[in-house]
Amino acid sequence: MGTSPECMTTRRVLWLLVFFGFAVNYMIRININIAIVGMVRHPKSKGGRASDECLPAATVSAGNASGSASGSGWGVAAMRGAGLNGSLAAFNESSGTLNGSSLVLAFLGHSNDTAAVAKAVAAPDDHEEWSRFDWDERQQGLVLGAFFWLHWLTQLPGGILARRFGTKLVFGLSNALPGLMAALIPAASHWDYRALLAIRLVQGIIAGFCWPAMHFLTAQWIPPNERSKFVTAYMGSSVGAALTFPLCGLVVQTMGWPSVFYGCALLTALWLVAWWMLVFDTPAQHPRIAPEERLAIEKAIGHLVGNPRTQRTPWKSILLSGPVWINVVAQWGGIWALFTLLTQAPTYFNNVHHWDAGMAGLLSGLPHLCRISVAATVSQVGDNLLRKGVISRTTLRKIATAVCDIGMGLFILGLAWSGCDALMAVVCLTLATGCHGAVSTGPLASMVDMSPNYASIVLGICACITAMPGFISPYIVGQLTLGNQSTEQWKKVFVISGLMSIGTGLLYVVLADSEVQPWNNPEISSTDQEKELKALNKEEKNKEGECIKS
């Protein structure tokens, strides 16, 4: 593959394992978001909490008539104009949800064949009714938010422990243990929903070590002008979400919701084996790295990263740093909006648009493919601009954060006003989540820029605070939609998230600074550290194209 460090494969292997590690991380977080659609009895069976406003009048009448005659709730009905190009849709007689197979038939040209559509409607889920629970919206909100109740508590310790014991151990165990614990969720749910809350709580506590620990590895392995591209590995979380939603939806429909958690535990075990065999904390510790690549990495990082065992953490300087806190602000708004969409999208589509677990999962997962695409594109363009000296590091981070927070917020406001237009809801959800992919070139990369030495601690402080929307948002949603799953109530949910994201993004654009901070390495002036980075930029320009030539 040539001798240029750019062509070596060790960092690529590292990128892949980090990528799949974060995919596992998000799979653990959100598997219950789609599984809960199969775990809980449909709201219609408990007094009509689901909204009928997004159903055609004829369909509602037919459902009510069938319910009056048989006591079963919703009758099988075909409808037109559900916002999906006039396609037919059918309802599961026992659950009152849109069946994905009828939509497929409609798109394949059977839109006028009501018999074909009716035949495609899934059989009632009576065989799984014993495994469903009578949890109201408040209890569901607790289940969805329990992971995050104390998730914030271990964020800062995650950064500190990574500096002490290395990312391989800290990230590996804190990612794997919650995944293996997923196998306990089915039994706990049947015992008592509070036992489920306890397991989700412990999963969240352990998983809290993950993200800050990874920034330490990034600082040790990745030269400054490659960071945006490498941090896209963190967007493995998007692929995890994109696959988890539709696959879990399919599993819920075909094998039952407990299989979701058993499958997650198995995938986690497979990832852990690969991680333990192939990842090392520094280039110097890697037994198979090419000497040329190790030398290139160590030369590129230079004095920006010191020995963590001999450095004293400048806590006061970090806690009083304006650039640190403006990153916290930007992350708060973006994560609030993202977690609201991640956590609530399946429930929203199920209760408002009446889509079953399969359809809700498919259309909740689609936006995250858009997110990883945006992350890859923005990071590639951003790193190229930095290498060519076209743009400053701070300006790049501001532009990326504007896309991430402000762009996301605008599309969430579009979702808020989508009403019963299912197509508009899917488009706005997809674009909003996609915009958040720019976070890998914005606040996430900025934390390593400001302080390669203490990036894990900076991210730990940030994540400690920004983990809170993970449990605050589900609680607010539960309160707003309790007994009222109308589009008006969901509009309030999305308006709060949209304005939060836009406001914090504007603050970042005005106040952010992503240059190396003086407290990163007190022994070397910040001016000298910036000179070192500029020298690296010049060196990178000379190396461009070496991979192609070789």
Side-chain angles (χ1 to χ4, degrees), residues 459-482:
L459 181 57
I461 293 171
C462 179
C464 179
I465 297 169
T466 57
M468 295 180 185
F471 62 86
I472 297 175
S473 175
Y475 176 80
I476 291 176
V477 173
Q479 294 297 315
L480 289 174
T481 61
L482 180 62

Side-chain angles (χ1 to χ4, degrees), residues 239-388:
V239 171
L243 295 178
T244 298
F245 278 126
L247 292 181
C248 287
L250 180 63
V251 169
V252 168
Q253 285 188 308
T254 58
M255 302 172 65
W257 64 263
S259 299
V260 168
F261 301 104
Y262 299 139
C264 288
L266 177 60
L267 290 174
T268 301
L270 294 175
W271 170 82
L272 179 61
V273 171
W275 174 265
W276 210 255
M277 292 176 61
L278 299 174
V279 170
F280 297 87
D281 288 312
T282 66
Q285 294 175 5
H286 200 299
R288 294 178 296 275
I289 189 172
E292 297 90 343
E293 183 178 13
R294 174 181 168 180
L295 181 63
I297 293 172
E298 292 174 347
K299 181 180 178 182
I301 293 175
H303 296 292
L304 297 176
V305 176
N307 185 346
R309 297 181 184 274
T310 60
Q311 291 175 325
R312 180 172 295 179
T313 303
W315 288 105
K316 182 178 179 181
S317 298
I318 293 174
L319 293 175
L320 294 178
S321 172
V324 168
W325 287 105
I326 200 63
N327 272 277
V328 172
V329 168
Q331 282 286 79
W332 174 278
I335 288 177
W336 180 291
L338 180 67
F339 280 6
T340 299
L341 299 181
L342 272 175
T343 307
Q344 304 300 333
T347 301
Y348 164 73
F349 282 117
N350 182 252
N351 288 334
V352 173
H353 296 289
H354 299 274
W355 293 349
D356 64 13
M359 280 300 292
L362 177 64
L363 293 173
S364 298
L366 177 65
H368 298 281
L369 293 178
C370 183
R371 185 175 180 237
I372 186 63
S373 300
V374 171
T377 302
V378 174
S379 66
Q380 186 68 47
V381 172
D383 279 350
N384 286 340
L385 292 175
L386 283 179
R387 278 197 295 269
K388 294 175 181 178

